[in-house]
Structures are given as C-alpha cells and as structure tokens.
Amino acid sequence: MAEILVGFLGYGRMAQAISAGLDRAGAVPYAAQAATALDPGRLKALAKERGFTALADNPSLLERAPVVVVAVKPHQVKAALAELSPAKLAGRLIVSIAAGVTLANLAAWLPGPANLVRALPNLPALVGQGVALICAPPGADPAHLAKAKAIFDSVGSTVELSEAYFDQGTAVSGSGPAYFFQVMEALVRGAVRLGLTWETAKELVLKTALGSVEMALARPDLALSEL
C-alpha cells in the first residue's frame, strides 16, 4: 500500500480544492492522500479519477494518515471525532477547517490528546487564491503550524492569527469576498445602465478589479488611500 501523508475526514468542495492544490503544487500528490466521506459512491468515483485512497471509515483514516484534515460540516465534527481511536491519536496532527469549532472544542471532543491546528480557508481557495487564518494551542510545536501552513499555501496563502481574533479575521477574509462581488456587480449594472453590454461591462470590471489588487500588492509603499 502507498504511504499516506495527508488524510481528509470529509471530502466536500473545500477538501477537494485543498487536495487538488497539494497535488498540483507537488507537496502531497494524490497517491499520498486518503479520504472518507458520507457519500461512499461519490468518494470512490473521485478517488478513481484523482488517484487518492478512499477509505470506508474514519478510524481507518486516522490509522493511515499522520496528518488529518477535519473537513466535515461544523455540526458533524463532534460525532466524527468521537469515532477516532485514542490509541491512534498519539503523534497525529489534527487540522480542523470547521468554522466556529474552537481549539477547546476539538480538544474536548477528541477521545485522547493530539496535536491540534485550527484553520479557516476562504472561498477563493477553490481557485487557488485563498487566504487561510491559522492558529495552534499555546506552546504547540512550531513544526505543527509549519505542516498546516504548507497545506493551505498550496491553495493560496496563510495568516497566523491568535484564535482570540478569529471572528474578526473571518469577518474580513471569510465574508469579504461577498462584499467584493457585490461591489463588482454594482459596477457592472451601472455600466450597463450607461449603455455598455453586460459582457463588456463585466470584462471591464473584473479586469479592473484584478489589476487594482495587483497594483496594491506591487506598491506596499503606498497606502490604499494614496492609491
């Protein structure tokens, strides 16, 4: 059997994006990945298409993967973690991307001690341009954060942030894309009212937005207000 380096407990859209990013970046190819999911048929189809290992249950995933990304929906996390074997948790790195599930929750719901990292990737991770907030418990081994950071860097970038500020950070990175989409929609509609076709207006707005971001990144010496 192939050596598994990263396992996904849940393989929904975000897990699929991270999985693809790891393979694309060469960090962890599909052959070194494994996953479980509530829909075994869909999981097996994706495993055949991509080349990762589909496992039947969460305990098997923990047994084979030294790094487990908890990617089920937040209300499913407690039950999923309860299935894991305490004996297999030692030395494992558990990385949760479940919104609203704190490090304290993870520690309380796991049946034994484990190395923990909490991360919150945002929607643009689906196209490889995400930004993920990331944190670990006080006193955690920096190597654990480094491993988790490498995972999320494969689909964008990471920002290390104290968990005390995760709600504030999520208000920006998690909700922020919706505000930018709203602004772009308003610009497109305004241009259409002035006589442009929808297609032309949308192309102008999207390319202008992209160029503006690139310019802001290229000129860190200038405040956004100066730009």
Side-chain angles (χ1 to χ4, degrees):
M1 291 188 295
E3 181 185 9
I4 302 300
L5 299 178
V6 174
F8 293 91
L9 199 162
Y11 203 68
R13 290 180 66 199
M14 187 58 76
Q16 290 172 38
I18 296 168
S19 171
L22 286 170
D23 180 77
R24 185 171 54 247
V28 183
Y30 284 133
Q33 298 180 28
T36 59
L38 291 176
D39 185 344
R42 174 63 175 157
L43 182 66
K44 287 180 180 178
L46 284 168
K48 183 177 181 180
E49 175 187 324
R50 293 185 166 190
F52 65 84
T53 300
L55 296 174
D57 54 67
N58 296 332
S60 298
L61 183 74
L62 182 67
E63 185 172 344
R64 294 195 59 186
V67 178
V68 174
V69 179
V70 180
V72 294
K73 295 184 183 301
H75 70 275
Q76 299 169 329
V77 172
K78 185 175 183 180
L81 295 183
E83 297 176 6
L84 303 181
S85 167
K88 299 295 183 181
L89 281 169
R92 294 296 194 260
L93 175 60
I94 307 297
V95 181
S96 171
I97 63 170
V101 177
T102 66
L103 290 169
N105 292 148
L106 295 171
W109 295 345
L110 281 164
N115 302 312
L116 299 176
V117 170
R118 182 184 175 193
L120 288 177
N122 65 356
L123 189 64
L126 298 178
V127 293
Q129 294 294 327
V131 59
L133 306 179
I134 191 170
C135 69
D141 187 336
H144 300 154
L145 268 177
K147 283 184 179 179
K149 184 178 185 298
I151 291 173
F152 298 101
D153 281 346
S154 72
V155 287
S157 60
T158 55
V159 173
E160 188 175 342
L161 189 68
S162 167
E163 190 178 34
Y165 293 100
F166 256 45
D167 286 348
Q168 295 91 322
T170 304
V172 178
S173 62
S175 303
Y179 288 98
F180 288 117
F181 294 145
Q182 184 70 30
V183 169
M184 289 188 286
E185 172 81 1
L187 283 170
V188 171
R189 290 185 178 277
V192 169
R193 282 197 296 270
L194 292 174
L196 294 183
T197 66
W198 185 274
E199 292 74 16
T200 297
K202 184 177 179 182
E203 181 181 4
L204 287 173
V205 168
L206 293 181
K207 289 183 177 178
T208 299
L210 181 61
S212 298
V213 169
E214 292 292 347
M215 186 172 179
L217 289 171
R219 293 301 307 270
D221 56 308
L222 295 178
L224 295 177
S225 58
E226 291 178 289
L227 287 169

